[in-house]
């Protein structure tokens, strides 16, 4: 295990376990995604300290950032304050943004990503291939990791078309000096095929379902 991804869950007394697919859109619509994102950052940093004490300080924690949070003028300042408050280095964390976040390729977006890199964060593009997929941003932005969406991995062992797309993405990313993570890997057969293709890392139920830190 070289890294983990921070995933948010909501256990509600009346509603039970509420899926992020249900509550994240409402959080974005109401603006509550901003304080929620800051809480997630704080918790991820707290969790890193816990796993480092257990001897796993080499592990990177990936944190998803909402496009709404990212677009806030004080985004960088709020992240810096969280790091300072917890006396933690950004080098232990990877920030995941979606194609939606970077689609406009504005100078402000470029500036924010560059400053995040300067702070020490690794940067990854999440769910690649499902959004706007303007390939120009891959050259323009200082990205370290490309994460292939699970929809491409799902039938990779049975459909030649899926294999061709995944293979092309891996080759392109490597030419651009980016590492590749395949999301949604659920079988040893998928993992073996991805390894043959030269994929750097995989994540998914084949290794573990999402679980609380103590587990």
């Amino acid at each position: 295990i070289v890294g983990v991804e921070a995933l948010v869950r909501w256990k509600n007394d009346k509603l039970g376990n509420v899926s992020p697919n249900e509550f994240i859109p409402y959080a974005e619509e109401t603006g509550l995604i901003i304080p929620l994102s800051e809480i997630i950052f704080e918790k991820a940093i707290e969790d890193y300290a816990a796993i480092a004490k257990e001897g796993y300080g080499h592990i990177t924690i990936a944190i998803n950032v909402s496009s709404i949070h990212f677009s806030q003028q004080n985004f960088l300042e709020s992240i810096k304050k969280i790091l300072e408050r917890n006396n933690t280095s950004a080098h232990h964390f990877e920030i995941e943004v979606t194609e939606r976040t970077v689609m406009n390729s504005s100078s402000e977006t470029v500036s924010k990503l560059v400053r995040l890199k300067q702070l020490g964060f690794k940067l990854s593009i999440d769910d690649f291939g499902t959004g706007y997929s303007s390939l120009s941003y891959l050259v323009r932005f200082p990205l370290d990791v490309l994460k292939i969406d699970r929809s491409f991995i799902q039938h990779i062992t049975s459909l030649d078309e899926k294999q061709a797309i995944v293979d092309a993405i891996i080759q392109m990313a490597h030419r651009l000096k980016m590492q590749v993570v395949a999301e949604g890997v659920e079988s040893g057969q998928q993992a073996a095929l991805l390894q043959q293709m030269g994929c750097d890392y995989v994540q998914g139920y084949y290794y573990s379902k999402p679980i609380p830190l103590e587990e």
Side-chain angles (χ1 to χ4, degrees):
I1 297 173
V2 296
V4 293
E5 181 174 348
L7 300 175
V8 63
R9 295 291 183 265
W10 181 18
K11 192 172 184 179
N12 182 276
D13 291 340
K14 293 180 180 177
L15 302 174
N17 292 317
V18 186
S19 165
N21 293 333
E22 292 184 60
F23 69 80
I24 291 293
Y26 284 107
E28 291 188 326
E29 193 179 311
T30 59
L32 284 170
I33 193 69
I34 297 164
L36 177 59
S37 291
E38 291 178 354
I39 289 168
I40 293 166
F41 257 95
E42 290 267 11
K43 186 73 173 74
I45 288 170
E46 187 183 304
D47 287 353
Y48 175 79
I51 62 175
K53 275 185 184 175
E54 296 293 326
Y56 300 103
H58 64 285
I59 283 178
T60 299
I61 296 183
I63 306 170
N64 294 281
V65 172
S66 160
S67 60
I68 293 169
H69 188 203
F70 185 86
S71 66
Q72 298 301 302
Q73 282 195 324
N74 67 339
F75 171 72
L76 283 163
E77 285 64 34
S78 70
I79 299 304
K80 283 171 70 177
K81 282 179 183 174
I82 292 170
L83 289 171
E84 289 165 5
R85 194 157 57 237
N86 291 276
N87 193 27
T88 304
S89 167
H91 291 87
H92 308 305
F93 304 94
E94 178 181 312
I95 288 184
E96 295 190 4
V97 295
T98 62
E99 290 173 312
R100 176 185 169 192
T101 303
V102 299
M103 68 176 180
N104 59 7
S105 299
S106 70
S107 56
E108 185 184 354
T109 301
V110 175
S111 174
K112 281 182 181 177
L113 290 172
V114 168
R115 286 182 65 190
L116 285 168
K117 282 275 284 192
Q118 289 170 345
L119 284 172
F121 287 105
K122 283 179 74 174
L123 301 176
S124 68
I125 188 78
D126 196 20
D127 302 332
F128 180 79
T130 60
Y132 300 87
S133 296
S134 170
L135 298 180
S136 61
Y137 72 76
L138 293 177
V139 178
R140 193 167 183 207
F141 298 143
L143 299 166
D144 301 292
V145 180
L146 184 152
K147 301 187 79 173
I148 305 175
D149 186 73
R150 66 180 62 245
S151 61
F152 294 107
I153 307 302
Q154 204 170 13
H155 301 292
I156 192 175
T157 56
S158 57
L159 294 177
D160 290 343
E161 297 88 344
K162 296 274 186 176
Q163 284 186 32
I165 291 171
V166 170
D167 189 52
I169 292 171
I170 292 169
Q171 300 310 317
M172 176 187 66
H174 285 169
R175 288 289 298 273
L176 293 171
K177 306 291 189 289
M178 297 170 67
Q179 292 182 317
V180 182
V181 177
E183 298 182 289
V185 175
E186 296 185 357
S187 71
Q189 198 178 359
Q190 289 174 336
L193 181 56
L194 287 159
Q195 190 171 27
Q196 285 175 28
M197 291 181 174
C199 187
D200 301 291
Y201 304 108
V202 300
Q203 71 175 69
Y205 283 16
Y206 176 58
Y207 289 104
S208 176
K209 291 187 177 183
I211 52 174
L213 176 68
E214 55 271 16
E215 292 179 30

